[in-house]
Amino acid sequence: MSVTEKDGYSDDKIIDRGSLPTRPFAAIGRKTINWVNTLGAAAIFLALAVLMIFRPKQWTKVVEQIYYIGARSTTIIILVALFTGMVLGLQSYHALAQFGTVGAVGTLVALSLIRELGPVLTAIMITARAGSAITAEIGIQRISEQIDALDTMRIDPLRYLISPRIAASIVSFPLLTALFDLVGIVGGFISGVVLMGANAGTYFYRVQASVDMKDVTDGFIKAVVFAVIVATVCCFQGYFVHMRTDSRGAKSVGLSTTSAVVTSCVLILVADYVVTSLLI
Amino acid sequence: MATPLIEFKNVTKRFGQLTVLDRVNAKIYEGEITTIIGLSGSGKSVFLKHIIGLLKPEDGSVLFRGKPLDEMKKNEREASLAQISYMFQDNALFDSMTVYDNVALPLRETTNLGKAEIDRRVMTRIEQMELGDAAFKYPSELSGGMQKRAALARALVTDPRIVLFDEPTTGQDPVRENAILSMVAENRKKFDFTAVLVSHAIPEVYFISNRILALYDRKIVFQGPPEEFESFDHSLKEEIRRSLEELQGKLSGLYAKRQFKVRYHTELKSGTFQETYAVLVFAMKDIDVLASGLGHDAVHKAIDSMSSFIDSYFSAVGGFSARLGLDEFVTVLPYSDVKEAEAILKGFADDFQERGIRDILSGKLEKVAAEMCLEFIVFAGIAEGRPIEGIDDIIESAKKEQREICRLRCRATGVV
């Protein structure tokens, strides 16, 4: 894939806007074509990067990225998971108390976390912490010609920069999701049992009884899907930062970073619905 | 003539509606320094990026050793392009890596060499570029010149056959411009690669280039040796002449070679010269050894000081001088015959020995030279000129007559 030539990500051709009545349709058509082009380019980008994961000399870079994307995100994941679990425990205790089923707090907390909140919030938190940094880092490397330098050294930038990040995301997201689930359940225990007085044994019994293996694997499938989405969107936005038509230089890196985070978050929620409807 | 190493055949490149190169034909030969000159935005960098394969032409083809790159099999093309290194205008060093890691990167990623061998090669290049103390520093901690050298070390670590330099002197002060070009010329000799430079600052590349390609209005309007550029009649030349005049100021009042010839012919036509006159050629010997001891910047300050000294001394007796190369100078004494010139040269040698060398190796430079026990020798030769003879032949005769006129001996021995 050529890195300096247009890949359909932007369009600087002179556009025939057509006659006045047809202009809205032309604009919609143009947007749609651009969107489809971008989607196609992102799909090719992802496919090439995934293929290159299995090339030699990738292991060290993947481990480095797992450390950066995964290990260094644990603190924030633990914090968010703990308070999410505590809020869930608190809310569910009050809601269930009205029906005299306080014992189901464990069920509600565990299923909410493992099926939905764990994968989604983990993905959003990693997007905010690591995804934005990935876009900014790759974007700066692009505008300072470091990526062109890789090309001139016969080092494939997709192999060197993108593949390790995608591989590391695929490994890190499910692990962090598992951590989120675990800490969230502990958070629910703290608020529901320790603070509100629900029965500890019932809480853990309900957690164990209501969660089956399918819930866990579905959560992990979502985590992997989100990993691919976040890594692709963030890397793609950074890699093609020079193709932006609305800005140049440092500003384009800023806009691409914002765009990467927003797009990733929206796509996480859209994908969550789609994957849930397929798995349910 | 031999098959060109790289040849452009009717290459056209467009970006959208904008045509940057229009049916460009150009040849680059092995073992030479070829400089692509042209005004800003004339497509010089685009030309260079076609050589390394970063851009592909819309029409025409780029030939590597006579074979079109686009007709080569993938492996063959990769092998051809692997012989080329590229030095970016802004160096494009990875700012999150140390100099060592930057230089090691191509070896780590494109070869199967062991850690020890990579370390040996990287440290050799780093030492050759005088960056030993900066090996584990980040690019942001280095000066502009050091960053350039780090980028050159990275470009040379894979032992390329061709090195492309995109505007290597842009944004540098005149002393550093000379130092960078000297570094290019010296390393080309040392590592025997073919160099292709892009420059819009034309005059300084004159000293080191074997061949000039001039890009103007999307086409190559001239290709040939710098000397032939003299008879080239084109509007681009005006731009070049202006740059040459700027250079005279930059080089302590000395003329560039081409401008020197213009003055020589003008004075010849106006009858200023005697029936016979004297031409002197000076050379600073072992400049490479000096550069390896003192560094390129220091040596170029020394060369510039020597330029000033020659210019001021001989202009007092009606002479005019020019730089022939990085370490060679020519002086014409239109009113003096050889005998008189011999006497003037003796006076110059005494004066130069007395205070010239001291001026050149002043301050820190003198201290370093003394500590390192370096020698600094100046040679000079005189030839008789006649109006009917060509100046190049006279200069060659003067070169043959060169002998030592003064030297700085190792300070440790106490002899200067």
Side-chain angles (χ1 to χ4, degrees), chain A residues 2-77:
Chain A
S2 167
V3 292
T4 51
E5 302 202 59
K6 305 278 176 193
D7 287 294
Y9 182 56
S10 68
D11 189 1
D12 62 352
K13 289 176 192 138
I14 293 171
I15 297 160
D16 178 11
R17 295 184 186 281
S19 60
L20 196 61
T22 63
R23 277 188 190 176
F25 301 102
I28 293 167
R30 226 175 9 253
K31 287 269 180 203
T32 309
I33 290 169
N34 271 347
W35 186 79
V36 172
N37 276 343
T38 306
L39 203 63
I44 294 168
F45 179 81
L46 172 64
L48 290 171
V50 168
L51 283 176
M52 285 173 189
I53 291 172
F54 307 102
R55 291 279 182 89
K57 303 188 178 190
Q58 293 291 72
W59 176 243
T60 320
K61 291 190 277 286
V62 172
V63 171
E64 272 173 19
Q65 289 302 321
I66 289 174
Y67 171 72
Y68 180 71
I69 296 170
R72 292 186 66 179
S73 298
T74 47
T75 312
I76 190 75
I77 292 295

Side-chain angles (χ1 to χ4, degrees), chain B residues 259-273:
Chain B
Q259 206 178 9
F260 162 80
K261 284 188 176 177
V262 171
R263 174 158 179 194
Y264 176 82
H265 289 297
T266 310
E267 302 237 350
L268 202 63
K269 276 181 195 166
S270 64
T272 310
F273 286 91

